[in-house]
Amino acid sequence: MKAPSRTLALTEELISLSSITPDDGGCQRRIIELLEPLGFTCETVVSNGVTNLWARKGTHAPVLVFAGHTDVVPTGPAAKWTSDPFKPEIREGKLYGRGASDMKTSLAAMVVAVEEFIEANPGHKGSIAFLVTSDEEGDAVDGTAVVVEQLKEREESLDYCIVGEPTSAHILGDTIKNGRRGSLSGHLVIKGIQGHIAYPQLARNPIHQAAPALAELAAEHWDEGNEYYAPTSFQISNIKAGTGANNVIPGELCIDFNFRFSTASTADGLEARVHAILDHHNLEYDLQWTLSGRPFLTPKGTLSDAVCQAICDETGVHTELSTTGGTSDGRFIAEICPQVIEFGPPNASIHKIDEHIEVRFIDPLKNIYRRTLEKLLS
């Protein structure tokens, strides 16, 4: 008989620990119980109610880090789930539960891969580490970023990092992320003069004033992108003005917009160009900027080659490198690690009702992580 899957069992165990962001739910404590007997030194870093784990085995380079998060998004209406979101259930070859794809399967696969690798290679070269947070799905302020700052202060250098985000599109291994776009948001307030709509000469309509500038911003070509990135995009997400009455010219217009930008642009450069367009149209305005993350990129090299080859060896799939999608904690880790790759299971059901992963992908995911360890640290 085929032995029960250790990775599946651990995945089910982690799913059963309800950990809606920023609550860890005891997941990291369970991971520590498994890592310490392998020789890992485990540090728990708590910041404003967020639980983080930094665990490391070894003191020499190269250092390979497995990174991820134990927190999950809220379930939504539990009654709409076919089964309890925190009671893992297998139906028709799929494991259901909140976090099944994002990303408790990846965490379980990483831990079991390390167990198997160390058992087979007790004298392996380099070091293995884990960086795990309960603040990835939330504000991402007190999680990975805090641990990275501590590592900076201690002058700990990292060489390779695999983030277990669900990157596959259709089948396991068809896509890995070798970078992410930056995210820059603006809250723009165009100032006018409120007045009666029948006496426009006594008012100043900020909607009318802003329209040409907004059209120019929407039509602007910000950059060409590059080998790894599509051109930078600008999108307006919200516009609000008026008192609700149809006979009042509003006194101000509020606009929220966002850039998803490549390494072909910088946040400072984009900000300067927006201000130049607004100033060109002689607008009176306030503009507040929020930089959620800078773009990061790992060009083709040692880590991406190792992960791609491990995927091919395990599944026969030839992987596509991609930088699409939202932000991830890879943006923080890239500040101290020159090679960061994101790789995990298919992402079609993440954040949805009845989140799931196909059981047939669980052990191959673990094997790919183990094969990568073998290629880099054997």
Side-chain angles (χ1 to χ4, degrees):
M1 290 181 60
K2 185 178 180 180
S5 168
R6 170 84 174 110
T7 310
L8 172 59
L10 182 55
T11 300
E12 291 176 322
E13 187 176 351
L14 293 176
I15 290 173
S16 69
L17 298 172
S18 174
S19 56
I20 296 174
T21 190
D23 185 15
D24 169 68
C27 295
Q28 291 176 35
R29 182 166 56 250
R30 180 61 181 132
I31 292 172
I32 290 171
E33 290 173 354
L34 296 169
L35 294 181
E36 285 185 335
L38 301 175
F40 281 82
T41 298
C42 299
E43 304 174 53
T44 296
V45 180
V46 177
S47 178
N48 294 320
V50 171
T51 306
N52 304 293
L53 170 63
W54 171 250
R56 177 167 174 168
K57 176 184 181 293
T59 58
H60 301 292
V63 183
L64 190 155
V65 181
F66 288 106
H69 59 90
T70 52
D71 59 323
V72 298
V73 295
T75 63
K80 292 189 176 182
W81 284 69
T82 306
S83 56
D84 188 320
F86 296 112
K87 289 184 179 179
E89 183 174 301
I90 296 176
R91 302 190 302 273
E92 298 180 349
K94 298 175 182 178
L95 173 64
Y96 288 82
R98 176 58 88 217
S101 282
D102 191 11
M103 55 167 285
K104 291 185 175 180
T105 299
S106 293
L107 288 172
M110 289 170 170
V111 171
V112 178
V114 167
E115 288 177 339
E116 293 182 354
F117 173 73
I118 292 175
E119 181 180 3
N121 302 272
H124 67 83
K125 68 180 182 181
S127 303
I128 306 171
F130 281 81
L131 199 172
V132 183
T133 183
S134 69
D135 187 35
E136 197 275 343
E137 299 289 10
D139 295 332
V141 171
D142 293 291
T144 299
V146 169
V147 179
V148 166
E149 286 304 313
Q150 292 194 9
L151 295 176
K152 283 182 183 178
E153 292 172 5
R154 292 174 359 190
E155 298 184 346
E156 290 199 45
S157 60
L158 312 178
D159 297 285
Y160 313 117
C161 179
I162 301 173
V163 186
E165 289 292 343
T167 60
S168 301
H170 304 290
I171 59 172
L172 180 67
D174 60 5
T175 308
I176 64 176
K177 306 289 185 180
N178 65 320
R180 295 277 189 163
R181 295 173 296 174
S183 178
L184 175 66
S185 297
H187 178 69
L188 173 64
V189 179
I190 307 294
K191 298 179 180 181
I193 297 176
Q194 182 174 314
H196 197 292
I197 207 164
Y199 301 94
Q201 71 276 15
L202 301 179
R204 189 171 78 241
N205 193 320
I207 300 175
H208 294 185
Q209 285 191 301
L214 296 182
E216 185 173 344
L217 288 168
E220 183 75 359
H221 187 73
W222 301 97
D223 61 44
E224 299 291 340
N226 55 39
E227 176 186 359
Y228 298 101
Y229 288 98
T232 291
S233 69
F234 168 87
Q235 290 293 316
I236 294 172
S237 57
N238 290 286
I239 294 182
K240 181 179 179 181
T243 64
N246 63 6
N247 61 351
V248 178
I249 293 172
E252 64 179 28
L253 169 67
C254 299
I255 302 162
D256 294 318
F257 61 86
N258 176 265
F259 284 101
R260 291 301 166 103
F261 64 104
S262 73
T263 51
S265 290
T266 66
D268 290 344
L270 293 172
E271 290 179 13
R273 290 172 65 182
V274 170
H275 281 285
I277 290 172
L278 298 175
D279 293 341
H280 174 73
H281 289 274
N282 298 314
L283 298 175
E284 183 183 357
Y285 66 91
D286 288 328
L287 178 51
Q288 301 296 320
W289 294 98
T290 301
L291 178 62
S292 301
R294 301 183 188 278
F296 74 91
L297 177 66
T298 297
K300 295 175 183 177
T302 306
L303 180 58
S304 63
D305 288 350
V307 174
C308 289
Q309 189 60 56
I311 290 170
C312 186
D313 291 345
E314 179 66 26
T315 67
V317 172
H318 294 282
T319 302
E320 175 187 353
L321 298 180
S322 171
T323 59
T324 60
T327 59
S328 79
D329 279 1
R331 68 191 188 273
F332 304 122
I333 300 168
E335 296 177 14
I336 58 171
C337 185
Q339 297 189 53
V340 179
I341 288 290
E342 299 175 29
F343 167 61
N347 54 27
S349 71
I350 62 173
H351 293 202
K352 292 183 177 180
I353 301 292
D354 282 349
E355 179 181 350
H356 61 270
I357 181 173
E358 293 188 51
V359 174
R360 67 188 176 105
F361 292 146
I362 293 177
D363 277 324
L365 176 62
K366 176 262 297 179
N367 293 339
I368 292 166
Y369 291 147
R370 191 198 68 243
R371 287 177 183 270
T372 302
L373 280 165
E374 292 167 353
K375 293 178 184 301
L376 296 175
L377 299 186
S378 291

